[in-house]
Amino acid sequence: MAEATSPIIELKDIDVTFKEADRTVKAVKDVNLQVNKGDIYGIVGYSGAGKSTLVRVINQLQRQSKGTVTVSGQNLGNLSGKNLRQARTKIGMIFQHFNLMNERTIGDNVLFPLLLGSKLTRKEKQAKVDELLDLVGLADKKNDYPAQLSGGQKQRVAIARALANDPEILISDEATSALDPKTTGAILELLKHLNETLGLTVVLITHEMQAVKAICNKVAVMQSGEIIERGDLLTIFSNPTEQLTKEFIETSSQIDSALANVVEQATVQNLGAGEQLVVLSYAGDSTEAPLIAQLYEKFHVTPNILFGNVEILQNTPVGTLGLVLSGVGDAVETALAYVAQQGVHVRRINVAEYRAELARKAAANNEEATV
Amino acid sequence: MTTILASDFWSSIMPNVVENKDVFIQSTWETIYMTLVSGLVAGILGMLIGVVLVVTAPGGILENKPTYWILDKLVNIFRSIPFIILLAVIAPFTRLVVGTSIGTTAALVPLTIGCAPFYARQVQNALVDVDRGIIEAAQAVGASPLQIIFRVYLREALPDLIRTSVVTIISLIGLTAMAGAIGGGGLGNTAISIGYNRFENDITIMAMIIILAIVFVVQVLGDLWARRTDHR
């Protein structure tokens, strides 16, 4: 991954407002975003959060109502007609529903961007198509039609098409949302590969945290048109501050289902004085310190491990551990203060409250289901 | 077998048709001529209007509310006028365009004007069915509006355009049957002015059979072509 240089995409104070008959809708509100060359920048949020609108501002398929868009040093807001179309050729885009032309062969779909004004000769164009299809692993499908391909294959064709003009940026708008988990993994792998081999900058919109976790190095969380939290992947994952961010992270891990199980156990429900249920999460270096051993050595606190999980994000282990700590007097509190000092995120769980919260959520879900 | 094909056999069951053989050849030719020429002009005109309707519609690639609104209303109005009335109403305009308001050539003008709005709607419907996402993908790779019209809209909608063209041609053949009202001739005129008015029923039936045969050929060829181009 390229080291941070000047931003290749810079969005400044972006507003997008849609005027409807009886009201105006602010789809994007005051968004600032910088994407550096070589980044795989994830933008997560539920549907309707404004993610798709925001990325369409990058290639100006959607004009902003306010703010400036700079891509590779060029202010796109000032461009129109031919110049804008020229700028767009340097920004590839792939879509949830692939958007391939049904009446053209796979080869002709990939060829399409080259028909619009490329100076290559006929022969060079065909060579380029072959090279691209090879890159996405579909060289043998050149003369097939999209209807004959699976979803994953269609998305590969769409990627090849998006790369035809050698763009520096690839925008992926929910590109894996219509695919099964295995195919999703393969497509994400391919994007990662393109990022590493071509130095392609990727902006990845998704509602699946799993996808972000798999390949992104940076992430922004969007809600109601605003970016509510952003940062590099590790920081966000090990130390989320916003409630929505936490929700997204939970959906991508097993921690909460494990916790829900644990709090139903009688021993956990009847914790005595000096006992505390905690979830520790840690990233990178802190995983190397013999923390659990120190709990006993330094504070005479006994850890009882209930569950644990380690994931590798950007080559860094990120761990989560569910424990019941027991000690005499304030020993547990002192120990937790020490643990927090070591850069480990401590989440104290009040079992009764947590169960009440779960019950409330379940009730809310039921209500939603019956409505 | 030989007796079936013998001319006295036909003379016995369709005496008037055999007697008016030349009239049938003439009127069949007139029907084909009117269909081809007005179909071609109406096809170009309707295609143009249909494309403009799609691209200028709200959310279209060249959104333009006044243009869309005016064209949309014009198409509706012209589609609502019964053809037999249109024939008469536009007679002055017809004279202006082709120099006469009577005869086969004069029938071309109202046929074109009666058919073009119908075809425009059909084209519009076919193009609107092209997935918005495909258009967006083309915009994203830097396609211009003209490139999108010719290389995406018309190309992607081709099978539907062929099918709707067939429907339009068949309805146009139907309209030519009314051209007799302004002296346009054609099979419809033969069926009414000779067959019906003179109580020569075999002539009416023969005119119908020939029209059905033309329709059948158009339908079969169109379906075949549409199926060959469709890869969805």
PDB file of all heavy atoms in Angstrom, chain A residues 32-60:
ATOM      1  N   ASN A  32     -16.903  16.303   4.370  1.00  0.00           N
ATOM      2  CA  ASN A  32     -15.511  16.493   3.969  1.00  0.00           C
ATOM      3  C   ASN A  32     -14.859  15.126   3.942  1.00  0.00           C
ATOM      4  O   ASN A  32     -15.017  14.350   4.877  1.00  0.00           O
ATOM      5  CB  ASN A  32     -14.785  17.391   4.969  1.00  0.00           C
ATOM      6  CG  ASN A  32     -15.217  18.837   4.805  1.00  0.00           C
ATOM      7  OD1 ASN A  32     -14.790  19.516   3.889  1.00  0.00           O
ATOM      8  ND2 ASN A  32     -16.116  19.281   5.684  1.00  0.00           N
ATOM      9  N   LEU A  33     -14.151  14.853   2.860  1.00  0.00           N
ATOM     10  CA  LEU A  33     -13.534  13.531   2.761  1.00  0.00           C
ATOM     11  C   LEU A  33     -12.258  13.627   1.931  1.00  0.00           C
ATOM     12  O   LEU A  33     -12.238  14.274   0.895  1.00  0.00           O
ATOM     13  CB  LEU A  33     -14.511  12.545   2.097  1.00  0.00           C
ATOM     14  CG  LEU A  33     -14.073  11.082   2.046  1.00  0.00           C
ATOM     15  CD1 LEU A  33     -14.150  10.450   3.423  1.00  0.00           C
ATOM     16  CD2 LEU A  33     -14.938  10.303   1.072  1.00  0.00           C
ATOM     17  N   GLN A  34     -11.218  13.000   2.452  1.00  0.00           N
ATOM     18  CA  GLN A  34      -9.964  12.945   1.703  1.00  0.00           C
ATOM     19  C   GLN A  34      -9.585  11.491   1.504  1.00  0.00           C
ATOM     20  O   GLN A  34      -9.528  10.728   2.460  1.00  0.00           O
ATOM     21  CB  GLN A  34      -8.846  13.632   2.497  1.00  0.00           C
ATOM     22  CG  GLN A  34      -9.026  15.127   2.603  1.00  0.00           C
ATOM     23  CD  GLN A  34      -7.736  15.795   3.034  1.00  0.00           C
ATOM     24  OE1 GLN A  34      -6.837  15.135   3.560  1.00  0.00           O
ATOM     25  NE2 GLN A  34      -7.648  17.095   2.816  1.00  0.00           N
ATOM     26  N   VAL A  35      -9.330  11.149   0.263  1.00  0.00           N
ATOM     27  CA  VAL A  35      -8.881   9.794  -0.021  1.00  0.00           C
ATOM     28  C   VAL A  35      -7.497   9.907  -0.646  1.00  0.00           C
ATOM     29  O   VAL A  35      -7.310  10.648  -1.610  1.00  0.00           O
ATOM     30  CB  VAL A  35      -9.852   9.085  -0.986  1.00  0.00           C
ATOM     31  CG1 VAL A  35      -9.368   7.677  -1.295  1.00  0.00           C
ATOM     32  CG2 VAL A  35     -11.264   9.059  -0.404  1.00  0.00           C
ATOM     33  N   ASN A  36      -6.549   9.195  -0.057  1.00  0.00           N
ATOM     34  CA  ASN A  36      -5.184   9.267  -0.578  1.00  0.00           C
ATOM     35  C   ASN A  36      -4.949   8.222  -1.651  1.00  0.00           C
ATOM     36  O   ASN A  36      -5.641   7.206  -1.707  1.00  0.00           O
ATOM     37  CB  ASN A  36      -4.176   9.069   0.552  1.00  0.00           C
ATOM     38  CG  ASN A  36      -4.167  10.249   1.493  1.00  0.00           C
ATOM     39  OD1 ASN A  36      -4.454  11.384   1.104  1.00  0.00           O
ATOM     40  ND2 ASN A  36      -3.859   9.979   2.746  1.00  0.00           N
ATOM     41  N   LYS A  37      -3.960   8.484  -2.490  1.00  0.00           N
ATOM     42  CA  LYS A  37      -3.613   7.523  -3.533  1.00  0.00           C
ATOM     43  C   LYS A  37      -3.246   6.190  -2.879  1.00  0.00           C
ATOM     44  O   LYS A  37      -2.483   6.165  -1.912  1.00  0.00           O
ATOM     45  CB  LYS A  37      -2.438   8.066  -4.344  1.00  0.00           C
ATOM     46  CG  LYS A  37      -2.227   7.291  -5.611  1.00  0.00           C
ATOM     47  CD  LYS A  37      -1.419   8.082  -6.616  1.00  0.00           C
ATOM     48  CE  LYS A  37      -1.007   7.188  -7.776  1.00  0.00           C
ATOM     49  NZ  LYS A  37      -2.067   6.332  -8.286  1.00  0.00           N
ATOM     50  N   GLY A  38      -3.826   5.114  -3.392  1.00  0.00           N
ATOM     51  CA  GLY A  38      -3.517   3.795  -2.867  1.00  0.00           C
ATOM     52  C   GLY A  38      -4.415   3.339  -1.730  1.00  0.00           C
ATOM     53  O   GLY A  38      -4.332   2.199  -1.289  1.00  0.00           O
ATOM     54  N   ASP A  39      -5.265   4.218  -1.258  1.00  0.00           N
ATOM     55  CA  ASP A  39      -6.217   3.839  -0.207  1.00  0.00           C
ATOM     56  C   ASP A  39      -7.262   2.869  -0.745  1.00  0.00           C
ATOM     57  O   ASP A  39      -7.630   2.922  -1.918  1.00  0.00           O
ATOM     58  CB  ASP A  39      -6.997   5.075   0.285  1.00  0.00           C
ATOM     59  CG  ASP A  39      -6.255   5.837   1.377  1.00  0.00           C
ATOM     60  OD1 ASP A  39      -5.262   5.290   1.903  1.00  0.00           O
ATOM     61  OD2 ASP A  39      -6.670   6.963   1.707  1.00  0.00           O
ATOM     62  N   ILE A  40      -7.755   2.009   0.153  1.00  0.00           N
ATOM     63  CA  ILE A  40      -9.040   1.374  -0.108  1.00  0.00           C
ATOM     64  C   ILE A  40      -9.946   1.918   0.990  1.00  0.00           C
ATOM     65  O   ILE A  40      -9.853   1.539   2.152  1.00  0.00           O
ATOM     66  CB  ILE A  40      -8.974  -0.159  -0.040  1.00  0.00           C
ATOM     67  CG1 ILE A  40      -7.937  -0.691  -1.029  1.00  0.00           C
ATOM     68  CG2 ILE A  40     -10.351  -0.755  -0.344  1.00  0.00           C
ATOM     69  CD1 ILE A  40      -7.896  -2.206  -1.135  1.00  0.00           C
ATOM     70  N   TYR A  41     -10.743   2.888   0.605  1.00  0.00           N
ATOM     71  CA  TYR A  41     -11.514   3.638   1.593  1.00  0.00           C
ATOM     72  C   TYR A  41     -12.941   3.095   1.648  1.00  0.00           C
ATOM     73  O   TYR A  41     -13.664   3.149   0.657  1.00  0.00           O
ATOM     74  CB  TYR A  41     -11.532   5.128   1.200  1.00  0.00           C
ATOM     75  CG  TYR A  41     -11.697   6.057   2.378  1.00  0.00           C
ATOM     76  CD1 TYR A  41     -10.740   7.035   2.661  1.00  0.00           C
ATOM     77  CD2 TYR A  41     -12.803   5.962   3.211  1.00  0.00           C
ATOM     78  CE1 TYR A  41     -10.876   7.889   3.750  1.00  0.00           C
ATOM     79  CE2 TYR A  41     -12.938   6.802   4.308  1.00  0.00           C
ATOM     80  CZ  TYR A  41     -11.983   7.761   4.564  1.00  0.00           C
ATOM     81  OH  TYR A  41     -12.121   8.598   5.644  1.00  0.00           O
ATOM     82  N   GLY A  42     -13.331   2.551   2.778  1.00  0.00           N
ATOM     83  CA  GLY A  42     -14.681   2.012   2.925  1.00  0.00           C
ATOM     84  C   GLY A  42     -15.632   3.073   3.441  1.00  0.00           C
ATOM     85  O   GLY A  42     -15.281   3.849   4.323  1.00  0.00           O
ATOM     86  N   ILE A  43     -16.819   3.139   2.864  1.00  0.00           N
ATOM     87  CA  ILE A  43     -17.856   4.026   3.398  1.00  0.00           C
ATOM     88  C   ILE A  43     -19.047   3.138   3.743  1.00  0.00           C
ATOM     89  O   ILE A  43     -19.639   2.524   2.859  1.00  0.00           O
ATOM     90  CB  ILE A  43     -18.257   5.105   2.377  1.00  0.00           C
ATOM     91  CG1 ILE A  43     -17.036   5.968   2.032  1.00  0.00           C
ATOM     92  CG2 ILE A  43     -19.386   5.976   2.926  1.00  0.00           C
ATOM     93  CD1 ILE A  43     -17.305   7.041   1.001  1.00  0.00           C
ATOM     94  N   VAL A  44     -19.331   3.039   5.043  1.00  0.00           N
ATOM     95  CA  VAL A  44     -20.436   2.171   5.458  1.00  0.00           C
ATOM     96  C   VAL A  44     -21.603   2.990   5.974  1.00  0.00           C
ATOM     97  O   VAL A  44     -21.443   4.126   6.423  1.00  0.00           O
ATOM     98  CB  VAL A  44     -20.034   1.175   6.571  1.00  0.00           C
ATOM     99  CG1 VAL A  44     -19.249   0.029   6.033  1.00  0.00           C
ATOM    100  CG2 VAL A  44     -19.317   1.873   7.694  1.00  0.00           C
ATOM    101  N   GLY A  45     -22.764   2.386   5.920  1.00  0.00           N
ATOM    102  CA  GLY A  45     -23.973   3.027   6.414  1.00  0.00           C
ATOM    103  C   GLY A  45     -25.159   2.209   5.945  1.00  0.00           C
ATOM    104  O   GLY A  45     -25.028   1.411   5.023  1.00  0.00           O
ATOM    105  N   TYR A  46     -26.284   2.412   6.605  1.00  0.00           N
ATOM    106  CA  TYR A  46     -27.490   1.716   6.170  1.00  0.00           C
ATOM    107  C   TYR A  46     -27.989   2.336   4.875  1.00  0.00           C
ATOM    108  O   TYR A  46     -27.556   3.426   4.495  1.00  0.00           O
ATOM    109  CB  TYR A  46     -28.565   1.799   7.249  1.00  0.00           C
ATOM    110  CG  TYR A  46     -28.246   0.993   8.480  1.00  0.00           C
ATOM    111  CD1 TYR A  46     -28.135   1.587   9.736  1.00  0.00           C
ATOM    112  CD2 TYR A  46     -28.038  -0.389   8.384  1.00  0.00           C
ATOM    113  CE1 TYR A  46     -27.835   0.843  10.858  1.00  0.00           C
ATOM    114  CE2 TYR A  46     -27.737  -1.138   9.508  1.00  0.00           C
ATOM    115  CZ  TYR A  46     -27.644  -0.525  10.741  1.00  0.00           C
ATOM    116  OH  TYR A  46     -27.337  -1.259  11.849  1.00  0.00           O
ATOM    117  N   SER A  47     -28.957   1.644   4.214  1.00  0.00           N
ATOM    118  CA  SER A  47     -29.481   2.231   2.984  1.00  0.00           C
ATOM    119  C   SER A  47     -30.184   3.536   3.323  1.00  0.00           C
ATOM    120  O   SER A  47     -30.818   3.657   4.365  1.00  0.00           O
ATOM    121  CB  SER A  47     -30.435   1.278   2.257  1.00  0.00           C
ATOM    122  OG  SER A  47     -30.915   0.298   3.112  1.00  0.00           O
ATOM    123  N   GLY A  48     -30.027   4.516   2.444  1.00  0.00           N
ATOM    124  CA  GLY A  48     -30.628   5.824   2.695  1.00  0.00           C
ATOM    125  C   GLY A  48     -29.722   6.760   3.469  1.00  0.00           C
ATOM    126  O   GLY A  48     -30.094   7.885   3.746  1.00  0.00           O
ATOM    127  N   ALA A  49     -28.512   6.290   3.793  1.00  0.00           N
ATOM    128  CA  ALA A  49     -27.607   7.139   4.561  1.00  0.00           C
ATOM    129  C   ALA A  49     -26.947   8.208   3.687  1.00  0.00           C
ATOM    130  O   ALA A  49     -26.361   9.157   4.189  1.00  0.00           O
ATOM    131  CB  ALA A  49     -26.548   6.296   5.255  1.00  0.00           C
ATOM    132  N   GLY A  50     -27.017   8.019   2.364  1.00  0.00           N
ATOM    133  CA  GLY A  50     -26.431   9.007   1.466  1.00  0.00           C
ATOM    134  C   GLY A  50     -25.096   8.568   0.865  1.00  0.00           C
ATOM    135  O   GLY A  50     -24.445   9.357   0.188  1.00  0.00           O
ATOM    136  N   LYS A  51     -24.721   7.307   1.089  1.00  0.00           N
ATOM    137  CA  LYS A  51     -23.435   6.827   0.583  1.00  0.00           C
ATOM    138  C   LYS A  51     -23.364   6.898  -0.936  1.00  0.00           C
ATOM    139  O   LYS A  51     -22.410   7.418  -1.497  1.00  0.00           O
ATOM    140  CB  LYS A  51     -23.182   5.360   0.979  1.00  0.00           C
ATOM    141  CG  LYS A  51     -23.541   4.986   2.387  1.00  0.00           C
ATOM    142  CD  LYS A  51     -23.248   3.520   2.639  1.00  0.00           C
ATOM    143  CE  LYS A  51     -24.169   2.557   1.918  1.00  0.00           C
ATOM    144  NZ  LYS A  51     -25.510   2.402   2.443  1.00  0.00           N
ATOM    145  N   SER A  52     -24.389   6.337  -1.591  1.00  0.00           N
ATOM    146  CA  SER A  52     -24.362   6.281  -3.053  1.00  0.00           C
ATOM    147  C   SER A  52     -24.387   7.678  -3.651  1.00  0.00           C
ATOM    148  O   SER A  52     -23.704   7.940  -4.639  1.00  0.00           O
ATOM    149  CB  SER A  52     -25.553   5.475  -3.578  1.00  0.00           C
ATOM    150  OG  SER A  52     -25.376   4.124  -3.263  1.00  0.00           O
ATOM    151  N   THR A  53     -25.182   8.542  -3.066  1.00  0.00           N
ATOM    152  CA  THR A  53     -25.222   9.923  -3.543  1.00  0.00           C
ATOM    153  C   THR A  53     -23.847  10.555  -3.394  1.00  0.00           C
ATOM    154  O   THR A  53     -23.353  11.218  -4.306  1.00  0.00           O
ATOM    155  CB  THR A  53     -26.258  10.736  -2.736  1.00  0.00           C
ATOM    156  OG1 THR A  53     -27.481  10.024  -2.729  1.00  0.00           O
ATOM    157  CG2 THR A  53     -26.462  12.110  -3.337  1.00  0.00           C
ATOM    158  N   LEU A  54     -23.213  10.333  -2.259  1.00  0.00           N
ATOM    159  CA  LEU A  54     -21.902  10.938  -2.006  1.00  0.00           C
ATOM    160  C   LEU A  54     -20.865  10.476  -3.026  1.00  0.00           C
ATOM    161  O   LEU A  54     -20.137  11.297  -3.588  1.00  0.00           O
ATOM    162  CB  LEU A  54     -21.430  10.609  -0.582  1.00  0.00           C
ATOM    163  CG  LEU A  54     -20.070  11.200  -0.219  1.00  0.00           C
ATOM    164  CD1 LEU A  54     -20.129  12.711  -0.167  1.00  0.00           C
ATOM    165  CD2 LEU A  54     -19.558  10.646   1.094  1.00  0.00           C
ATOM    166  N   VAL A  55     -20.800   9.177  -3.304  1.00  0.00           N
ATOM    167  CA  VAL A  55     -19.756   8.743  -4.246  1.00  0.00           C
ATOM    168  C   VAL A  55     -20.060   9.174  -5.677  1.00  0.00           C
ATOM    169  O   VAL A  55     -19.153   9.333  -6.476  1.00  0.00           O
ATOM    170  CB  VAL A  55     -19.479   7.231  -4.228  1.00  0.00           C
ATOM    171  CG1 VAL A  55     -18.797   6.834  -2.960  1.00  0.00           C
ATOM    172  CG2 VAL A  55     -20.707   6.428  -4.491  1.00  0.00           C
ATOM    173  N   ARG A  56     -21.352   9.358  -5.973  1.00  0.00           N
ATOM    174  CA  ARG A  56     -21.682   9.840  -7.309  1.00  0.00           C
ATOM    175  C   ARG A  56     -21.224  11.286  -7.517  1.00  0.00           C
ATOM    176  O   ARG A  56     -21.121  11.751  -8.647  1.00  0.00           O
ATOM    177  CB  ARG A  56     -23.176   9.690  -7.577  1.00  0.00           C
ATOM    178  CG  ARG A  56     -23.508   8.332  -8.129  1.00  0.00           C
ATOM    179  CD  ARG A  56     -24.976   8.018  -8.108  1.00  0.00           C
ATOM    180  NE  ARG A  56     -25.227   6.690  -8.646  1.00  0.00           N
ATOM    181  CZ  ARG A  56     -24.865   5.556  -8.063  1.00  0.00           C
ATOM    182  NH1 ARG A  56     -24.229   5.580  -6.905  1.00  0.00           N
ATOM    183  NH2 ARG A  56     -25.120   4.399  -8.624  1.00  0.00           N
ATOM    184  N   VAL A  57     -20.993  11.956  -6.418  1.00  0.00           N
ATOM    185  CA  VAL A  57     -20.442  13.307  -6.519  1.00  0.00           C
ATOM    186  C   VAL A  57     -18.987  13.240  -6.996  1.00  0.00           C
ATOM    187  O   VAL A  57     -18.520  14.117  -7.715  1.00  0.00           O
ATOM    188  CB  VAL A  57     -20.563  14.041  -5.160  1.00  0.00           C
ATOM    189  CG1 VAL A  57     -19.771  15.334  -5.183  1.00  0.00           C
ATOM    190  CG2 VAL A  57     -22.022  14.321  -4.847  1.00  0.00           C
ATOM    191  N   ILE A  58     -18.306  12.163  -6.632  1.00  0.00           N
ATOM    192  CA  ILE A  58     -16.888  12.047  -7.010  1.00  0.00           C
ATOM    193  C   ILE A  58     -16.735  12.058  -8.528  1.00  0.00           C
ATOM    194  O   ILE A  58     -15.861  12.739  -9.054  1.00  0.00           O
ATOM    195  CB  ILE A  58     -16.251  10.766  -6.405  1.00  0.00           C
ATOM    196  CG1 ILE A  58     -16.287  10.834  -4.874  1.00  0.00           C
ATOM    197  CG2 ILE A  58     -14.811  10.592  -6.908  1.00  0.00           C
ATOM    198  CD1 ILE A  58     -15.803   9.580  -4.195  1.00  0.00           C
ATOM    199  N   ASN A  59     -17.591  11.313  -9.259  1.00  0.00           N
ATOM    200  CA  ASN A  59     -17.476  11.373 -10.724  1.00  0.00           C
ATOM    201  C   ASN A  59     -18.551  12.269 -11.338  1.00  0.00           C
ATOM    202  O   ASN A  59     -18.779  12.245 -12.543  1.00  0.00           O
ATOM    203  CB  ASN A  59     -17.488   9.975 -11.353  1.00  0.00           C
ATOM    204  CG  ASN A  59     -18.755   9.198 -11.063  1.00  0.00           C
ATOM    205  OD1 ASN A  59     -19.693   9.701 -10.458  1.00  0.00           O
ATOM    206  ND2 ASN A  59     -18.780   7.954 -11.485  1.00  0.00           N
ATOM    207  N   GLN A  60     -19.226  13.025 -10.486  1.00  0.00           N
ATOM    208  CA  GLN A  60     -20.172  14.047 -10.934  1.00  0.00           C
ATOM    209  C   GLN A  60     -21.365  13.476 -11.683  1.00  0.00           C
ATOM    210  O   GLN A  60     -22.013  14.170 -12.460  1.00  0.00           O
ATOM    211  CB  GLN A  60     -19.464  15.116 -11.777  1.00  0.00           C
ATOM    212  CG  GLN A  60     -18.433  15.903 -10.962  1.00  0.00           C
ATOM    213  CD  GLN A  60     -19.068  16.949 -10.069  1.00  0.00           C
ATOM    214  OE1 GLN A  60     -19.625  17.938 -10.503  1.00  0.00           O
ATOM    215  NE2 GLN A  60     -19.007  16.703  -8.758  1.00  0.00           N
TER     216      GLN A  60
END
